[in-house]
Amino acid sequence: MNGERPDAEEAEEIVRKARRKQAAQKHPQRSALYGLGMFGLVGWSVAVPVVLGVALGVWIDGHVQSHRSWTLILLLAGAALGCLNAWYWVQREGGDE
């Protein structure tokens, strides 16, 4: 283009490239590492409440005499909390698509 005005064909190519760049900026491509990271985040968001619930339940069962199994109750509560937590993260990260 050595300083001259572009002809119609060059102008169309410039406009096409600019539109493609704008579209790419609006919808960035996510890599496989992003997917693995999200997979790990969802896994940990479920695993941590379950493990904490089981640990607390074992401690309560060892220190308090009861006909209820606090380990089982808190395992289920941790699983429910973990699933809600995972659902929140998936909705938050996937909501822009």
Side-chain angles (χ1 to χ4, degrees), residues 77-94:
L81 181 64
C83 288
L84 286 172
N85 195 14
W87 177 79
Y88 166 78
W89 280 106
V90 169
Q91 290 297 315
R92 181 172 177 228
E93 293 297 319

Side-chain angles (χ1 to χ4, degrees), residues 38-52:
M38 182 57 117
F39 185 73
L41 176 73
V42 169
W44 280 108
S45 68
V46 173
V48 169
V50 169
V51 170
L52 291 176

Side-chain angles (χ1 to χ4, degrees), residues 29-88:
Q29 294 289 326
R30 293 185 173 153
S31 70
L33 289 178
Y34 175 83
L36 287 174
M38 182 57 117
F39 185 73
L41 176 73
V42 169
W44 280 108
S45 68
V46 173
V48 169
V50 169
V51 170
L52 291 176
V54 168
L56 182 60
V58 167
W59 184 84
I60 291 173
D61 283 341
H63 288 81
V64 176
Q65 293 295 328
S66 176
H67 64 280
R68 292 183 176 92
S69 171
W70 286 102
T71 302
L72 182 59
I73 292 170
L74 292 176
L75 175 127
L76 294 174
L81 181 64
C83 288
L84 286 172
N85 195 14
W87 177 79
Y88 166 78

Side-chain angles (χ1 to χ4, degrees), residues 7 11-12 14 17 20 22 24 28-29 31 35 42 53 71 76 86 94 96:
D7 63 0
E12 286 178 25
I14 291 169
K17 286 181 180 180
R20 189 170 54 213
Q22 287 176 340
Q29 294 289 326
S31 70
V42 169
T71 302
L76 294 174
D96 59 343

